[in-house]
Amino acid sequence: MKLLVTVMPKNGVLDPQGKAIAQALGTLGFGGVNDVRAGKVIELDVAETDPAKARAAAEEMARKLLANTVIESFRVETA
Amino acid sequence: MKLLVTVMPKNGVLDPQGKAIAQALGTLGFGGVNDVRAGKVIELDVAETDPAKARAAAEEMARKLLANTVIESFRVETA
């Protein structure tokens, strides 16, 4: 089954990529953009078919590898 | 209002970041991972309050800046 792990910088953590995107959008003429945060999304295709077990495994993967939990938060969804 | 733009490599496009994550998960002892695709997610906070207009603007931003539509596909959700 497929899972989506979304990793975002925590609130209050500096996000230079988001700031760069916001500035570039302004340069391209897109107005009314208050804030931009840039994160990453990891799509996992796992052999496990039980949604609860797959989700637990994905959360463990996120804590151990996919997210730096000091500065990033993550959420897991089944896709 | 807030919008989420999710950008993923198109099917068939080489995804070295995803491959590296898959390999690292294997090294860490996570079995049963068939495939990993790595993309990015951009959270936009825009002044526009009409969902349809905000979504149209976000799609335009994705086409012009956020995604490289030759190798990446994107989707826009209201958050």
Side-chain angles (χ1 to χ4, degrees), chain A residues 47-76:
Chain A
E48 179 64 63
T49 52
D50 180 64
K53 281 186 193 167
R55 178 185 285 263
E59 283 176 3
E60 189 68 14
M61 291 175 200
R63 266 190 299 272
K64 287 220 174 131
L65 179 73
L66 307 176
N68 176 353
T69 53
V70 176
I71 55 167
E72 294 170 325
S73 61
F74 68 87
R75 65 171 183 277
V76 176

Side-chain angles (χ1 to χ4, degrees), chain B residues 45-62:
Chain B
D45 185 355
V46 296
E48 179 65 62
T49 52
D50 179 63
K53 281 186 193 166
R55 178 185 287 262
E59 283 175 4
E60 189 67 14
M61 290 175 200

Side-chain angles (χ1 to χ4, degrees), chain A residues 1-7 39-47 54 58 61-62 66 75-79, chain B residues 6-13 15 17-23 25 32-41 73-75 77:
Chain A
M1 67 179 301
K2 286 198 176 181
L3 298 129
L4 279 184
V5 180
T6 307
V7 179
K40 51 194 170 171
V41 57
I42 296 107
E43 193 185 287
L44 299 165
D45 184 356
V46 296
M61 291 175 200
L66 307 176
R75 65 171 183 277
V76 176
E77 297 154 277
T78 48
Chain B
T6 306
V7 180
M8 296 295 292
K10 283 185 180 171
N11 283 334
V13 172
D15 177 15
Q17 200 188 350
K19 290 279 164 290
I21 293 171
Q23 203 163 6
L25 286 173
V33 178
N34 298 330
D35 192 32
V36 180
R37 305 284 287 170
K40 51 196 170 169
V41 56
S73 61
F74 68 87
R75 65 172 183 276
E77 299 153 277

